[in-house]
Amino acid sequence: MIRAKFAQLSLKNKFFFSILIVILLISGTIALLARWILISGLTQELEMRGTAIAHSVATRGAEFILENDTDHLLNVLFDEKQLHERKHLVAYIYVEGKNGAVLSHTFTTPFPKRLKGVNPVTERVEKSVRIVPFGGHEAYDIAVPIKEGIYQIGTVHVGLSKAHIDSLVGKLRAMFLGFISAVIIITFWVSHRMAKYIADPVMTLTQISDDLSRGNFSSSDLINTEEQLECPAFHDTDLPCWHFDEQREGESKSEMRPHRCKKCAFYNQASDGDEVQQLTTSFRNMVWSIRLYRRRLQESESTYRSLFRSGPDPIFVVDVLSKKLVDANPRTEELYGYTREELVGMPYAAFGEEQAKECFEFFSNDELCSEAMKAPRVVHLRKGNIPMYVNVTACFISYRTRPAIIVATTDVTDLVEKDAQLIQASKMKSLGEMSTGVAHELNQPLNAIRMGSDFLTMVHEQGIDIPQEQYAQVVTEISTQVDRASDIINTLRSFGRKADLLLEDVNLNEPVGSVVSLLSRQFLIEDVHIVTELDPELPYITAQHNKLQQVLLNLVINARDAIVERNEEGAEVRGRILIRTEYDDEGVSVSVEDNGTGIPDHVAEKVFEPFFTTKATGQGMGLGLAISYGIVREYGGELSIQSAVGDGTCFTVRFPRQEVALAAN
Ligand code: ADP
């Protein structure tokens, strides 16, 4: 009970009461001991004095008793009683004769009857002490026998005034109590000051830490609010605090520390002064550190929040465990067409299953968690499953103590469409260039059909009878030529078609086949022969058939141009373009090799730049390789050149291979 009450006291009171109780106990004990020793010592001392007076009277008065000279005996008595300060102490002296009669006394009044025989002594005792009453007073009566030889001839009674002794004892006691009280008061005052010295700062620190925990950082008077504006790190959150930050592991002292930071106005080494002062200094440092970092945190939080709220791109947070969206910014609502309520709780896979899977797989690898995942031009689905192209950047974060991914997407559908338009334009240009060749190509089957139909008309008009076999042969030939013409038209149409936005599984041999079928015959006019070496087991790649056709078309037309140019310069080589497809464990490649002019190094550096051309005005736009490079990079591929001037060039396009399926040939 007492313990519990004591525990509830403030530190100041605990300290104060503990010291007080200890001091009181010590003082009480000293007082009791001292009283006992002093008072009994004083009483003994006075008794001894009284006894000495009595002995002196006995010695000096013995002869006057024997001679019965009461006058001289009285003189002796008064001598002894009046000596020095004894007169206050000694109340009376009287001498009794052998028979108990009072021989002489110092009373100025008649001898008090009550004293008679009140304190007798015998020969065998040295002295007798007894408190006796007389005339309204009390006295310590010290009786000593007067001896002559071995005979007792009388008794001396010395009365010590009890009132005087009591007043001496009283004075002594008062002095003593005064001294003890002074000790208690001084101790009380000292302990009070000490308790205050310790408890006051502790109380202030408690109040400040209460304020801090309630988030009230401005009330603390440990740090002057105006002073804090002097601190460079408080002003500029990009600057480190040279005192707190440099204590962090792995961070080295910077040479760039501003001069005024060398003696910081806020941070103090907590080694000066006593423990209470050190605690206050250290607490002040802590408050400053919290205030500094809180401000930085608030600033950075508000910056990122406003970036999140008003950023031009969709940003959303996906919980890794539930694989669902937990937060999304207004731009996400705008672009994806869902309300925030619909977005929160929606599975990330709703935007695109493949991409979501890739993202979670990326971050399931602990080593990659510190890195950002980037996925260019992936297809995300808007509300209503409308596809769009986005560039995705994702980072691993902790959101409300759960692992999460913050995903930012940029809508690049317009860009992709414009790219497609550009590619289409460049394709149309190629087709235009090929029109003469295509016309020539179509002419051949048309001529054959015309010849067949002329022949049949002539047979009909002239009524010539021809054998059935010959008739069937002509009809079959006409039909074959119609098929051939329709093949040419179909290939042209497939070239002319605009590319789809979605990726597909492509066997590289297919676009190679269509390019070869379109161009091979035409090139023969210029004595350029297309040869193919295609691997029938080629694995699929992820791309778009139509765009790959465009890449190959560009490469093959460039190869033809280089051969023609070489011949124009007088080389007279038989043009040869070798198209080869092959694959290994990592990738699938197609190479287009020619025996044309070759590319000098200074030209090779620039061939992928848009609008770079070495061809005459009207013949080349300089876009073919730039567009081809863009398409190849889009599918994660590479486009490389090997060339020797005067010998020929080989362009190789290499794509990463798909893991699973093999091309069904
Ligand atoms: P264009 O064909 O309209 O000039 P390209 O981007 O297709 O534009 O080609 C850029 C340049 O690269 C060409 O002008 C040519 O100088 C060079 N080039 C491309 N392919 C070859 C090749 N196979 N042999 C030699 N030079 C080539």
Side-chain angles (χ1 to χ4, degrees):
M1 178 73 181
I2 292 173
R3 235 175 152 184
K5 286 230 159 131
F6 186 76
Q8 281 173 0
L9 289 177
S10 68
L11 179 65
K12 193 159 111 183
N13 287 343
K14 265 185 201 148
F15 197 75
F16 173 68
F17 282 123
S18 308
I19 290 182
L20 200 66
I21 288 168
V22 171
I23 293 296
L24 281 176
L25 283 175
I26 293 173
S27 305
T29 317
I30 291 175
L32 284 174
L33 278 174
R35 187 171 172 249
W36 182 68
I37 292 166
L38 283 177
I39 291 172
S40 65
L42 179 72
T43 320
Q44 269 176 16
E45 173 62 29
L46 293 174
E47 200 180 300
M48 273 161 64
R49 275 199 204 178
T51 311
I53 294 168
H55 279 301
S56 174
V57 171
T59 314
R60 287 174 64 195
E63 63 176 304
F64 300 120
I65 294 169
L66 286 175
E67 287 167 11
N68 217 4
D69 185 353
T70 50
D71 289 343
H72 278 100
L73 184 62
L74 190 64
N75 279 346
V76 170
L77 296 191
F78 272 107
D79 271 1
E80 291 292 341
K81 182 177 181 295
Q82 300 299 347
L83 206 66
H84 308 300
E85 289 105 27
R86 284 179 190 168
K87 53 186 171 205
H88 299 296
L89 174 66
V90 181
Y92 60 81
I93 302 175
Y94 69 92
V95 176
E96 282 179 330
K98 215 163 89 185
N99 51 5
V102 176
L103 300 179
S104 192
H105 63 83
T106 57
F107 291 105
T108 47
T109 50
F111 186 80
K113 283 189 183 126
R114 293 182 69 183
L115 286 181
K116 246 186 155 223
V118 78
N119 186 18
V121 278
T122 57
E123 285 169 17
R124 284 185 296 274
V125 292
E126 284 283 302
K127 65 173 180 186
S128 165
V129 181
R130 188 171 289 180
I131 294 176
V132 295
F134 76 97
H137 302 288
E138 280 186 322
Y140 287 93
D141 188 87
I142 301 165
V144 171
I146 305 170
K147 289 184 179 171
E148 184 60 40
I150 54 164
Y151 300 107
Q152 181 178 355
I153 56 171
T155 307
V156 181
H157 289 265
V158 176
L160 298 181
S161 165
K162 188 168 180 289
H164 185 70
I165 290 173
D166 285 350
S167 110
L168 282 180
V169 169
K171 271 185 196 161
L172 192 69
R173 191 178 285 162
M175 258 173 62
F176 202 77
L177 278 177
F179 173 73
I180 294 288
S181 307
V183 168
I184 289 174
I185 288 169
I186 290 170
T187 316
F188 176 86
W189 184 79
V190 170
S191 67
H192 184 259
R193 298 295 305 176
M194 286 281 289
K196 209 169 143 52
Y197 179 73
I198 293 173
D200 280 4
V202 174
M203 265 167 68
T204 315
L205 296 184
T206 311
Q207 191 206 327
I208 292 170
S209 76
D210 265 5
D211 279 352
L212 294 185
S213 41
R214 270 188 237 111
N216 182 3
F217 281 76
S218 50
S219 78
S220 140
D221 52 1
L222 279 181
I223 291 161
N224 186 337
T225 327
E226 275 170 26
E227 263 181 21
Q228 74 192 12
L229 300 175
E230 300 278 306
C231 172
F234 195 83
H235 263 306
D236 181 354
T237 43
D238 284 343
L239 276 180
C241 167
W242 308 101
H243 294 281
F244 295 116
D245 290 349
E246 76 181 18
Q247 291 169 358
R248 289 205 304 242
E249 209 181 315
E251 281 189 10
S252 61
K253 284 191 178 184
S254 169
E255 296 299 310
M256 290 163 64
R257 174 200 287 224
H259 185 70
R260 61 182 150 163
C261 288
K262 290 202 171 129
K263 179 109 190 62
C264 181
F266 310 104
Y267 174 77
N268 287 319
Q269 289 286 347
S271 56
D272 294 342
D274 59 30
E275 284 81 352
V276 176
Q277 282 165 344
Q278 285 183 25
L279 177 69
T280 313
T281 311
S282 151
F283 201 83
R284 187 181 184 278
N285 285 343
M286 188 188 77
V287 172
W288 173 240
S289 163
I290 294 176
R291 196 185 275 193
L292 183 71
Y293 287 110
R294 193 178 134 95
R295 192 188 118 73
R296 288 173 165 224
L297 199 68
Q298 275 174 339
E299 192 173 294
S300 128
E301 210 272 338
S302 73
T303 309
Y304 287 111
R305 182 135 293 275
S306 66
L307 205 68
F308 182 77
R309 290 256 140 254
S310 59
D313 288 327
I315 304 172
F316 46 88
V317 183
V318 183
D319 185 286
V320 169
L321 302 178
S322 67
K323 296 188 167 47
K324 286 178 179 168
L325 269 71
V326 283
D327 200 2
N329 70 348
R331 181 72 184 120
T332 313
E333 298 177 62
E334 227 172 272
L335 187 68
Y336 286 84
Y338 295 100
T339 62
R340 193 167 183 281
E341 288 69 38
E342 287 172 320
L343 284 169
V344 173
M346 176 187 276
Y348 182 33
F351 290 166
E353 241 168 83
E354 277 300 308
Q355 205 274 317
K357 207 171 129 199
E358 241 172 65
C359 195
F360 291 125
E361 264 167 26
F362 183 91
F363 290 112
S364 64
N365 183 343
D366 285 349
E367 280 171 24
L368 296 177
C369 278
S370 55
E371 288 174 25
M373 190 200 103
K374 289 189 174 155
R377 298 193 172 194
V378 297
V379 177
H380 265 194
L381 301 172
R382 284 196 179 102
K383 191 172 187 176
N385 285 347
I386 304 164
M388 62 175 168
Y389 270 88
V390 287
N391 286 347
V392 175
T393 310
C395 289
F396 190 81
I397 57 161
S398 166
Y399 186 84
R400 293 177 185 156
T401 72
R402 285 167 70 92
I405 302 169
I406 184 156
V407 185
T409 61
T410 316
D411 180 11
V412 289
T413 315
D414 279 357
L415 210 67
V416 173
E417 267 167 8
K418 290 216 169 79
D419 266 9
Q421 280 166 12
L422 194 66
I423 293 167
Q424 188 66 10
S426 137
K427 201 192 280 180
M428 286 312 182
K429 176 191 156 270
S430 309
L431 284 177
E433 278 171 11
M434 288 184 313
S435 58
T436 336
V438 172
H440 174 80
E441 185 88 342
L442 271 176
N443 248 349
Q444 281 183 347
L446 286 178
N447 278 341
I449 295 166
R450 163 57 58 99
M451 278 165 63
S453 68
D454 284 354
F455 173 72
L456 290 178
T457 313
M458 187 192 80
V459 169
H460 171 68
E461 281 174 0
Q462 295 179 10
I464 305 169
D465 206 8
I466 57 161
Q468 274 300 309
E469 296 83 51
Q470 199 181 350
Y471 185 78
Q473 197 185 348
V474 173
V475 173
T476 312
E477 182 57 28
I478 290 175
S479 168
T480 311
Q481 292 306 326
V482 169
D483 283 349
R484 193 177 149 202
S486 129
D487 269 358
I488 293 169
I489 289 164
N490 278 342
T491 316
L492 268 180
R493 276 172 58 191
S494 96
F495 268 84
R497 212 174 53 230
K498 202 178 157 201
D500 208 358
L501 283 187
L502 295 177
L503 295 178
E504 56 202 348
D505 294 340
V506 182
N507 179 352
L508 258 183
N509 289 340
E510 286 168 12
V512 172
S514 35
V515 170
V516 172
S517 79
L518 189 73
L519 300 179
S520 59
R521 283 208 187 86
Q522 293 181 39
F523 283 11
L524 287 177
I525 306 165
E526 290 154 316
D527 196 22
V528 177
H529 302 262
I530 298 181
V531 185
T532 54
E533 282 177 19
L534 305 181
D535 190 327
E537 302 289 323
L538 213 58
Y540 281 115
I541 60 163
T542 305
Q544 285 151 302
H545 182 95
N546 204 279
K547 285 191 185 173
L548 288 178
Q549 278 181 348
Q550 178 60 22
V551 173
L552 289 164
L553 198 70
N554 284 338
L555 296 181
V556 175
I557 290 177
N558 276 347
R560 191 259 335 252
D561 290 348
I563 294 167
V564 171
E565 191 185 331
R566 191 175 171 195
N567 281 337
E568 279 170 1
E569 285 167 3
E572 292 184 8
V573 288
R574 185 169 181 268
R576 182 175 185 270
I577 299 174
L578 171 65
I579 305 179
R580 183 188 287 132
T581 57
E582 55 197 348
Y583 73 95
D584 56 28
D585 286 348
E586 269 129 44
V588 183
S589 61
V590 53
S591 58
V592 178
E593 192 183 327
D594 64 64
N595 55 352
T597 51
I599 310 175
D601 285 349
H602 69 277
V603 175
E605 285 167 13
K606 296 182 186 160
V607 290
F608 296 120
E609 287 175 14
F611 304 109
F612 174 81
T613 179
T614 56
K615 294 172 191 166
T617 324
Q619 282 183 20
M621 276 170 64
L623 279 177
L625 285 181
I627 287 174
S628 303
Y629 183 81
I631 295 172
V632 171
R633 294 295 300 161
E634 198 180 314
Y635 307 138
E638 285 161 20
L639 177 53
S640 58
I641 316 172
Q642 278 173 312
S643 183
V645 179
D647 230 9
T649 308
C650 177
F651 278 89
T652 308
V653 187
R654 192 174 160 80
F655 295 104
R657 65 178 274 182
Q658 271 188 5
E659 296 295 320
V660 212
L662 271 182
N665 207 25

